């Protein structure tokens, strides 16, 4: 650069400065105005929440917030059944049901650095008798260790949020109302039950596109396309210049075109929205029709978005990421297509005769499950599995978390550790689908539980169940936390571990049993309320078939002589895992969230958003929004099944029997975090443990067995952030792979 260009550049920079300053002043004024409106809205919500018949879903719609936001401001409104969603959203909306089971990377959770002090407010518990299990009262601190007689009355009060040290209050989990109001929740949703479908899904022709190289593969052949900048218009034009209009689903295997230009946006989701809403070729519009397995509009997801368009009345197209199914690990489009072929063949081979590979693993999983519902006359549940009331479903949504995600940092662990080891429970959820709660649960109050015999109490805790408990951690406890507790944020959980600490939470029977019977020291559990289901096996046939397909594909991947087919079968086995994982997630039936976009008006004016929607992003041409529409009338809504699997999986992460036997006793060997030294656990990620201690658990190849996936047996700096964690995770896997070469 010479002095002339430098001077010219300074002039251009000053012009940008002069243009930016008035906009910044406007932004400051706008932010101040927004702050006042936020305060006004919060005050109005609290005022409306005092109305005896107020419901969180109606206030959420009027306020443009989520139900969780409303509950945070007015805890007395949790949980509430939401109004039914409209039959079909406008053309610009998309329903996020595609990825209900997908879990976004968890944000760091701020944990308490010490137990609450004696004069800090304690969570209250419902009135009535309380059954205390586990450790004796001498293990608790002076305030919470006080024993009340079994039939004593206790004051009922809203639980006080515990301080987190970050200025944020922990979420307050809802309780079941006392008396008849709470008892009325225990009913089936009228006219709603899970029944076997009487139709077969329509198969959609698929194509596979590497957006980086332009290689397109479909049943009819392989071509290399010129995609230009890989905009939506360029992809649609180039693909359908070669492929027939019957191709309705384009999977992007590499290149992530929706991330191009992301540096111009503050958030990745904004970049995705801008790409999805880019100009279209003549004759194309955003898809507006809906069918049994088709949805309208786009799904704005930061990494695995879904775009839906149509040309005329008959041609429909989706552009999706194959990352919904598995990480392609550099596989070319032909290998990825072969993986889907192997997936279909493996599912057919295990008697999923009506199998159709749908757009996402969650859709595929739920459709396959629905075809295992019994239909034989006289068979139990042949009339369908009843769907619980919206109140119970709302309670489970608010109180049953998913997989455990936790990064444990200094000073809980040393700044430097002697090694890095990753072990992962393969196909773990299949191990926890043999028994699930069916029908409408019974309510087990504190008094009812206290009146049970010890055998009845044990039977209740081992049955499919979900409990509100007050937990006291033994003094001197030095290992990881065992039970989830609510942390700041809509769906955040943390795992208290400080000896002597007491907290109130909800947990599944599997976790309560683990806390009472863990191999180190029993925790003290006080039953406050609970839901108890009849034990059944609604998921067993489905998960057994998926397990057989998974094992078959893994075996073929090990033995096949063709490298492309080996990789295809390996990817297909991971797709089966996704079907199980995300299929279970669809049973949770979270509140229905729709997203959409609108073009900016003249001069960049923000248009009016749909009623109840809130702004989520803005680009040079469009705004994006989302709207919480509450719980739809979904005949396949069974959050009790998802909650039971998640609870059992979290418990197994701590201690579980393996498929290997102890030579001395013949009993199954145990594995899990509690069987590793205290202070050696560095992180949890759903079914994986990261530790600084060498792990020698034998891998038997059965679902739920721990498989060593990464190893660096030399000193490492302990990760403090997710970025550092994922960096070490990658290095550990590379190091283990290098050992085998």
């Amino acid at each position: 650069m010479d002095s002339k260009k430098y001077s010219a550049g300074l002039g251009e920079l000053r012009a940008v400065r002069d243009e930016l300053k008035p906009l910044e002043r406007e932004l400051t004024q706008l932010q101040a105005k927004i702050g006042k409106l936020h305060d006004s809205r919060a005050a109005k919500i609290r005022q409306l929440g005092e109305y005896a018949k107020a419901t969180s879903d109606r206030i959420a719609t009027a306020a443009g917030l989520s139900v969780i936001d409303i509950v945070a401001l007015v805890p007395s409104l949790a949980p509430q059944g939401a109004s039914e969603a409209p039959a079909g959203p406008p053309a610009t909306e998309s329903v996020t049901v595609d990825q209900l089971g997908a879990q976004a990377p968890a944000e760091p959770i701020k944990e308490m650095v010490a137990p609450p002090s004696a004069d800090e407010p304690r969570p209250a518990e419902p009135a009535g008798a309380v059954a205390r299990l586990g450790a004796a009262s001498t293990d608790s601190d002076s305030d919470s260790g006080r024993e009340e007689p079994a039939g004593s009355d206790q004051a009922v009060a809203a639980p006080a949020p515990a301080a987190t040290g970050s200025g944020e209050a922990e979420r307050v989990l809802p309780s079941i109302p006392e008396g008849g109001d709470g008892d009325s929740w225990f009913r089936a949703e009228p006219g709603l039950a899970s029944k076997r479908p009487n139709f077969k899904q329509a198969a959609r022709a698929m194509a596979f596109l590497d957006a980086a190289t332009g290689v397109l593969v479909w049943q009819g052949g392989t071509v290399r396309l010129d995609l230009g900048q890989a905009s939506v218009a360029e992809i649609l034009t180039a693909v359908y210049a070669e492929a027939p209009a019957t191709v309705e689903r384009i999977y992007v295997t590499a290149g992530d075109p929706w991330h191009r230009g992301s540096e111009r946006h503050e958030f990745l989701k904004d970049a995705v929205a801008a790409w999805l809403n880019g100009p279209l070729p003549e004759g194309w519009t955003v898809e507006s029709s809906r069918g049994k397995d088709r949805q309208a509009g786009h799904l704005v997801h930061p990494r695995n978005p879904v775009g839906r368009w149509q040309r005329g009345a008959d041609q429909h197209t989706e552009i999706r990421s194959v990352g919904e199914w598995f990480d392609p690990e550099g596989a070319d489009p032909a290998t990825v297509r072969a993986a889907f072929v192997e997936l279909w063949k493996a599912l057919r081979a295990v008697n999923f005769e009506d199998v159709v590979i749908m757009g996402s693993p969650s859709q595929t999983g739920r459709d396959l499950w629905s075809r295992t519902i019994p239909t034989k006359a006289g068979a139990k549940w042949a009339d369908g599995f009843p769907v619980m009331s919206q109140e119970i479903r709302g309670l489970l949504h608010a109180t049953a978390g998913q997989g455990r995600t936790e990064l444990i940092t200094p000073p809980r662990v040393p700044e430097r550790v002697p090694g890095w080891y990753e072990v992962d429970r393969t196909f773990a959820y299949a191990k926890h689908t043999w028994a699930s709660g069916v029908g409408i649960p019974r309510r087990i109050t504190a008094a009812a539980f206290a009146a049970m015999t010890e055998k009845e109490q044990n039977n209740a805790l081992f049955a499919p169940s979900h409990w509100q408990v007050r937990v006291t951690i033994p003094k001197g406890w030095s290992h990881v936390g065992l039970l989830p507790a609510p942390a700041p944020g809509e769906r955040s959980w943390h795992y208290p571990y400080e000896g002597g600490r007491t907290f109130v939470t909800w947990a599944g029977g599997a976790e309560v049993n683990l806390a009472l019977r863990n191999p180190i020291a029993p925790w003290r559990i006080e039953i406050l309320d609970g839901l108890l289901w009849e034990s059944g096996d609604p998921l067993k046939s489905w998960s057994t078939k998926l397990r057989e397909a998974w094992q078959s594909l893994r075996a073929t991947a090990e033995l096949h002589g063709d490298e492309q087919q080996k990789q295809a079968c390996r990817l297909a086995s991971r797709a089966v895992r996704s079907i199980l994982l995300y299929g279970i997630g669809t049973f949770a039936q979270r509140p229905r969230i729709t997203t959409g976009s609108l073009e900016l008006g003249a001069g960049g004016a923000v248009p009016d958003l749909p009623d109840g929607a809130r702004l989520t992003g803005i680009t040079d041409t469009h705004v994006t929004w989302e709207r919480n529409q509450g719980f739809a009338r979904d005949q396949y809504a069974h959050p009790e099944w998802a909650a039971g699997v998640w609870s059992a999986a979290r418990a197994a992460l701590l201690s579980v029997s393996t498929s290997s036997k102890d030579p001395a006793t013949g009993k199954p060997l145990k594995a899990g975090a509690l069987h590793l030294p205290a202070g050696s656990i560095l992180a949890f990620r759903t079914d994986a443990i990261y530790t600084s201690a060498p792990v020698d658990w034998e891998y038997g190849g059965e679902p739920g067995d721990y498989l060593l996936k990464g190893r660096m047996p030399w000193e490492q700096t302990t990760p403090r952030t997710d970025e550092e964690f994922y960096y070490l995770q990658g290095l550990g896997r590379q190091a283990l792979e290098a050992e085998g070469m």
Side-chain angles (χ1 to χ4, degrees):
M1 178 181 292
D2 55 24
S3 60
K4 185 176 180 181
K5 289 184 178 179
Y6 179 71
S7 298
L10 290 175
E12 293 170 357
L13 187 59
R14 284 190 287 270
V16 172
R17 176 200 64 195
D18 294 341
E19 185 177 357
L20 190 59
K21 278 189 174 181
L23 294 176
E24 288 177 333
R25 285 195 295 270
E26 286 182 35
L27 180 60
T28 301
Q29 294 170 355
L30 183 60
Q31 287 174 332
K33 185 176 180 180
I34 288 173
K36 291 180 180 177
L37 288 172
H38 279 165
D39 293 342
S40 175
R41 179 174 65 182
K44 179 59 70 175
I45 289 170
R46 292 190 183 96
Q47 180 183 356
L48 292 171
E50 295 175 359
Y51 177 53
K53 296 183 179 180
T55 60
S56 57
D57 60 303
R58 294 197 65 184
I59 296 178
T61 300
L65 295 173
S66 72
V67 172
I68 298 297
D69 293 329
I70 302 303
V71 170
L73 290 168
V74 190
S76 62
L77 294 180
Q80 292 289 336
S83 58
E84 292 179 20
T92 55
E93 296 187 16
S94 72
V95 185
T96 62
V97 70
D98 281 48
Q99 299 176 340
L100 286 179
Q103 297 184 59
E107 310 219 345
I109 295 173
K110 306 175 182 66
E111 295 195 67
M112 294 185 68
V113 297
S117 62
D119 57 353
E120 210 169 287
R122 299 274 180 183
E125 62 187 35
V130 177
R132 291 174 171 79
L133 308 169
S137 61
T138 53
D139 284 337
S140 62
D141 57 38
S142 59
D143 185 46
S144 62
R146 181 169 45 85
E147 291 280 354
E148 291 94 0
S152 65
D153 291 331
Q154 299 164 4
V156 180
T164 63
S166 64
E168 296 181 275
E170 291 188 355
R171 288 179 295 117
V172 177
L173 297 181
S175 300
I176 305 173
E178 292 295 323
D181 289 343
D183 293 341
S184 68
W185 290 12
F186 292 79
R187 67 183 192 281
E189 195 67 33
L192 203 59
S194 302
K195 298 183 179 181
R196 192 166 186 157
N198 56 8
F199 64 92
K200 183 177 179 179
Q201 296 288 358
R204 313 290 179 189
M206 298 181 283
F208 301 85
L209 174 68
D210 184 329
T213 64
V215 173
L216 176 74
V217 177
W218 76 102
Q219 189 175 16
T222 301
V223 295
R224 186 179 295 273
L225 308 176
D226 180 3
L227 298 179
Q229 297 301 308
S231 66
V232 170
E234 289 168 317
I235 289 176
L236 292 176
T237 300
V239 167
Y240 288 106
E242 300 288 345
T246 52
V247 169
E248 296 189 45
R249 199 171 286 144
I250 302 169
Y251 281 110
V252 174
T253 65
D256 293 350
W258 39 80
H259 289 164
R260 297 189 183 186
S262 59
E263 69 279 356
R264 299 194 299 269
H265 301 272
E266 184 177 1
F267 300 105
L268 203 56
K269 200 170 182 179
D270 293 340
V272 172
W275 184 84
L276 288 171
N277 292 300
L280 295 173
E282 184 177 356
W284 287 89
T285 60
V286 175
E287 186 177 49
S288 59
S289 66
R290 296 173 60 85
K292 286 186 171 66
D293 68 339
R294 180 185 290 131
Q295 295 166 335
H298 306 317
L299 170 65
V300 183
H301 187 278
R303 290 177 180 80
N304 297 318
V306 181
R308 301 182 178 99
W309 299 272
Q310 66 183 76
R311 180 163 56 179
D314 299 323
Q315 185 176 355
H316 301 268
T317 299
E318 289 183 333
I319 297 180
R320 312 181 73 112
S321 169
V322 80
E324 293 180 80
W325 291 87
F326 47 72
D327 178 358
E329 296 182 342
D332 59 43
T335 303
V336 174
R337 181 180 181 275
F340 276 81
V341 172
E342 293 299 326
L343 171 64
W344 182 85
K345 288 163 59 178
L347 293 174
R348 284 275 297 181
V350 296
N351 295 320
F352 280 126
E353 296 179 359
D354 290 338
V355 60
V356 171
I357 304 300
M358 300 176 69
S360 69
S362 59
Q363 289 175 313
T364 306
R366 188 164 73 171
D367 183 66
L368 291 176
W369 172 78
S370 70
R371 297 173 194 282
T372 66
I373 298 173
T375 56
K376 186 177 180 180
K380 195 165 188 180
W381 311 113
D383 293 331
F385 295 100
V387 173
M388 297 181 301
S389 70
Q390 292 189 30
E391 290 85 354
I392 292 293
R393 283 182 281 148
L395 178 72
L396 288 169
H397 169 68
T399 61
Q402 297 188 30
R404 181 169 182 168
T405 299
E406 184 180 19
L407 183 63
I408 300 174
T409 58
R412 287 182 62 187
V413 291
E415 296 279 355
R416 304 273 298 175
V417 290
W420 173 272
Y421 303 86
E422 175 190 1
V423 283
D424 181 80
R425 297 183 69 226
T426 58
F427 209 57
Y429 281 10
K431 190 178 178 70
H432 306 300
T433 55
W434 295 96
S436 302
V438 288
I440 304 306
R442 292 163 48 205
R443 181 180 186 179
I444 307 296
T445 63
F449 191 88
M452 290 179 174
T453 65
E454 183 178 352
K455 181 179 180 180
E456 289 171 336
Q457 290 179 347
N458 285 334
N459 289 342
L461 291 175
F462 277 103
S465 53
H466 192 61
W467 303 95
Q468 186 182 35
V469 292
R470 186 163 72 177
V471 183
T472 301
I473 305 173
K475 285 186 176 179
W477 182 263
S478 60
H479 221 294
V480 296
L482 305 186
L483 294 174
E490 282 197 1
R491 296 287 292 164
S492 295
W493 300 86
H494 64 171
Y495 296 81
Y497 59 91
E498 306 91 345
R501 181 175 174 182
T502 295
F503 60 97
V504 172
T505 190
W506 284 83
E511 290 169 287
V512 173
N513 272 311
L514 186 280
L516 288 167
R517 299 171 174 84
N518 73 80
I520 299 175
W523 284 26
R524 184 174 181 230
I525 305 294
E526 304 171 47
I527 301 296
L528 308 180
D529 213 337
L531 295 82
L532 180 63
W533 285 270
E534 176 185 342
S535 183
D537 58 359
L539 304 179
K540 185 177 179 180
S541 173
W542 174 70
S543 67
T544 298
K545 291 180 179 182
L546 291 177
R547 184 194 65 194
E548 291 172 356
W550 174 76
Q551 291 174 325
S552 170
L553 287 165
R554 283 169 59 88
T556 304
E558 289 292 328
L559 301 174
H560 208 292
D562 183 90
E563 285 301 318
Q564 184 189 51
Q565 285 302 111
K566 285 173 73 79
Q567 187 177 17
C569 289
R570 189 165 58 248
L571 295 177
S573 72
R574 293 174 187 167
V576 176
R577 175 187 178 274
S578 295
I579 289 173
L580 179 79
L581 183 73
Y582 299 138
I584 287 171
T586 63
F587 291 124
Q589 201 233 3
R590 296 162 184 79
R592 181 185 176 98
I593 306 295
T594 58
T595 62
S597 63
L598 293 168
E599 289 189 28
L600 295 176
V606 176
D608 291 334
L609 301 181
D611 185 33
R614 61 176 175 179
L615 187 69
T616 57
I618 186 167
T619 69
D620 293 338
T621 59
H622 286 76
V623 295
T624 56
W625 52 264
E626 70 177 25
R627 177 168 55 186
N628 186 318
Q629 294 186 276
F631 294 97
R633 279 183 60 83
D634 182 354
Q635 66 172 325
Y636 299 129
H638 291 285
E640 67 276 20
W641 299 347
V645 171
W646 293 335
S647 174
R650 290 193 300 268
L653 203 58
L654 300 170
S655 181
V656 68
S657 297
T658 69
S659 62
S660 301
K661 304 289 186 181
D662 185 332
T665 65
K667 294 181 179 180
L669 291 170
K670 294 281 189 176
L674 295 182
H675 300 279
L676 294 169
S680 70
I681 307 301
L682 305 177
F684 294 101
R685 286 294 186 276
T686 308
D687 294 319
I689 300 171
Y690 299 81
T691 174
S692 61
V695 182
D696 59 358
W697 302 327
E698 182 180 349
Y699 179 64
E702 291 297 315
D705 280 354
Y706 278 97
L707 173 67
L708 184 66
K709 294 187 68 174
R711 174 168 57 194
M712 292 186 289
W714 55 84
E715 192 173 87
Q716 304 289 334
T717 299
T718 304
R720 287 180 171 270
T721 65
D722 282 348
E723 184 179 10
E724 293 172 354
F725 164 81
Y726 286 115
Y727 177 72
L728 280 182
Q729 181 195 65
L731 289 180
R733 292 177 179 180
Q734 291 172 17
L736 181 63
E737 185 178 358
E739 288 180 22
M741 291 182 174

